[in-house]
């Protein structure tokens, strides 16, 4: 492990064009549940499985049940950035990290100070009335009782990508651009099981692929450096 961490330090020290691709595992250390971990939302008991509740069809058909789940499980507004979030922000500030491409919707990268964050699955911090387009923040959604409604009477929908919905094409294009031009791609805290997001790493043409995750991923065998462990502990120890 020490040898791998020394190699990670060497790769980061020598590069000024790093892109980070991350998933739920980056935020679990901030107390936000991972949908697919052993103790994550997918293994808890609800009237419907989370993947059904978090679908466009379910949102349109049963908004009350959708927002009950969303309010209880998705709006983790008290969570704070951990060492991984803070280190990525520091790497960007020093000019080494060009972008964070994240599957997370919690906004913790921005809270830590990262500026160039590409949110593949949207954000709980952006919410829009389906009728008039008015903007509402996450605190409004947190305080709303039942189905949150706009002053015009329309239902307010979180700007998050539900199952059956397409990813934002500009975010996808920008992610491909950053990844394809990167010298180093650090993949962290993701099982690489969610597509089309996971397919973005196929655009990498650079020098080093680094995978940091607690469990194995389908791309481990292609990694130039593989470290299994806590993303916060491993990235947090990097000297910039």
């Amino acid at each position: 492990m020490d040898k791998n961490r020394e190699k990670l330090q060497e790769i980061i020290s020598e590069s000024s064009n790093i892109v980070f691709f991350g998933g739920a595992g980056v935020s679990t250390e901030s107390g936000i549940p991972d949908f697919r971990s052993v103790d994550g939302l997918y293994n808890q008991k609800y009237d419907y499985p989370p993947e059904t509740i978090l679908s466009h069809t379910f949102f349109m058909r049963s908004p009350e049940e959708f927002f009950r789940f969303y309010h209880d499980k998705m709006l983790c507004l008290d969570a704070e950035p951990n060492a991984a979030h803070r280190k990525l922000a520091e790497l960007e500030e020093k000019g080494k990290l060009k972008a964070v491409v994240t599957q997370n919707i919690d906004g913790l990268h921005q809270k830590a100070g990262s500026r160039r964050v590409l949110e593949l699955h949207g954000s709980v911090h952006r919410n829009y009335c389906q009728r008039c387009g008015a903007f509402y923040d996450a605190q409004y959604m947190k305080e709303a009782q039942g189905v949150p409604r706009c002053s015009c009477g329309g239902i307010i929908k979180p700007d998050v990508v539900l199952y059956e919905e397409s990813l934002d094409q500009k975010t996808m294009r920008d992610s491909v651009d950053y990844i394809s031009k990167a010298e180093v791609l650090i993949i962290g805290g993701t099982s690489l099981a969610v597509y089309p997001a996971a397919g973005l790493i196929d655009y990498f043409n650079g020098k080093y692929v680094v995978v940091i995750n607690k469990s194995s991923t389908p791309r481990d065998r292609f990694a130039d450096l593989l470290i299994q462990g806590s993303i916060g502990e491993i990235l947090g120890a990097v000297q910039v």
Side-chain angles (χ1 to χ4, degrees):
M1 178 60 76
D2 289 341
K3 185 177 179 181
N4 285 342
R5 295 190 189 200
E6 287 175 10
K7 181 63 176 176
L8 176 63
Q9 179 67 63
E10 177 186 326
I11 290 172
I12 290 176
S13 296
E14 293 177 355
S15 178
S16 59
N17 187 356
I18 303 168
V19 169
F20 179 81
F21 180 93
V26 179
S27 291
T28 52
E29 292 172 41
S30 292
I32 294 179
D34 176 359
F35 278 40
R36 289 174 175 77
S37 66
V38 172
D39 56 350
L41 297 183
Y42 273 75
N43 292 280
Q44 298 178 23
K45 303 299 182 183
Y46 298 98
D47 292 340
Y48 302 90
E51 54 207 328
T52 297
I53 298 173
L54 296 175
S55 68
H56 179 81
T57 297
F58 192 90
F59 171 81
M60 298 301 291
R61 186 182 70 226
S62 305
E64 297 86 358
E65 185 70 10
F66 172 90
F67 278 109
R68 187 171 71 86
F69 178 90
Y70 182 81
H71 186 279
D72 292 344
K73 299 299 181 181
M74 309 296 288
L75 288 173
C76 305
L77 303 187
D78 294 330
E80 292 294 331
N82 59 55
H85 296 107
R86 294 192 296 270
K87 185 61 64 175
L88 291 166
E90 184 182 357
L91 286 167
E92 181 184 14
E93 182 183 5
K94 298 294 184 181
K96 302 184 77 64
L97 184 79
K98 299 306 180 187
V100 169
V101 180
T102 181
Q103 299 171 84
N104 297 336
I105 60 175
D106 50 55
L108 289 180
H109 285 293
Q110 293 92 328
K111 197 172 185 179
S114 290
R115 296 180 299 276
R116 200 167 292 117
V117 182
L118 302 171
E119 296 172 309
L120 295 171
H121 295 151
S123 172
V124 298
H125 296 280
R126 298 187 300 269
N127 306 274
Y128 299 96
C129 173
Q130 291 191 295
R131 180 180 294 174
C132 74
F135 171 86
Y136 289 86
D137 63 15
Q139 194 61 42
Y140 181 90
M141 302 295 279
K142 187 73 173 177
E143 294 170 359
Q145 300 296 315
V147 178
R149 291 189 178 272
C150 176
S151 56
C152 78
I155 294 176
I156 303 167
K157 183 181 182 296
D159 187 19
V160 299
V161 179
L162 302 177
Y163 289 100
E164 305 167 350
E165 294 180 344
S166 299
L167 274 62
D168 180 74
Q169 290 306 299
K170 184 180 186 305
T171 304
M172 288 287 282
R173 287 195 301 270
D174 289 347
S175 299
V176 168
D177 188 54
Y178 278 111
I179 290 172
S180 64
K181 294 176 180 176
E183 179 186 15
V184 176
L185 178 62
I186 300 177
I187 301 168
T190 174
S191 62
L192 294 175
V194 179
Y195 283 83
L200 287 171
I201 65 175
D202 291 332
Y203 290 94
F204 179 69
N205 297 302
K207 190 173 182 181
Y208 294 110
V209 173
V210 178
V211 175
I212 306 171
N213 202 45
K214 287 184 177 179
S215 58
S216 59
T217 79
R219 302 302 179 104
D220 287 359
R221 65 185 184 277
F222 301 114
D224 299 291
L225 178 62
L226 174 63
I227 306 178
Q228 289 195 326
S230 159
I231 184 80
E233 178 188 339
I234 292 163
L235 276 186
V238 169
Q239 300 298 310
V240 180

